[in-house]
Amino acid sequence: MKYLFAEMGIGNGSFFSTEIEEGLNERRVSQFLLPKKISDYYMRIWIWKRVLVISTKDGIKIKAKDIKRFKFLLGIGGESE
């Protein structure tokens, strides 16, 4: 089963992109592919090594990362098949 994260915003290399997760493998494509069954809407703000995620599925979370980045993304998550 594939899980898609369709995102719009700055920081991923292209304004529209989709992360595709299959088990432990993940890849990003420069297209906006909508999931067939939507289970989450989210906003992700990544400033340096901290990420603020506001999600309809998981609520509000702050995560630490090892890489310095700046991203502001709005996204939709769900299953593709």
Side-chain angles (χ1 to χ4, degrees):
M1 178 180 323
K2 293 181 187 177
Y3 202 84
L4 300 180
F5 296 97
E7 297 178 330
M8 167 181 75
I10 58 172
N12 277 342
S14 63
F15 190 73
F16 295 105
S17 66
T18 302
E19 183 177 299
I20 303 167
E21 289 185 356
E22 289 183 89
L24 298 177
N25 298 322
E26 60 182 53
R27 63 187 168 101
R28 182 168 298 280
V29 294
S30 296
Q31 299 174 14
F32 195 76
L33 305 172
L34 284 174
K36 297 208 185 294
K37 183 178 177 185
I38 296 172
S39 61
D40 189 22
Y41 296 93
Y42 61 91
M43 177 176 65
R44 189 163 44 127
I45 303 169
W46 185 335
I47 300 174
W48 302 130
K49 293 187 176 188
R50 298 277 183 228
V51 181
L52 170 67
V53 180
I54 301 172
S55 165
T56 58
K57 184 177 178 181
D58 299 322
I60 299 172
K61 291 185 176 183
I62 297 176
K63 299 179 181 182
K65 297 285 188 172
D66 293 332
I67 301 171
K68 289 183 180 180
R69 299 257 194 256
F70 176 77
K71 295 183 180 187
F72 179 81
L73 302 165
L74 299 174
I76 300 169
E79 298 174 9
S80 68
E81 295 176 359

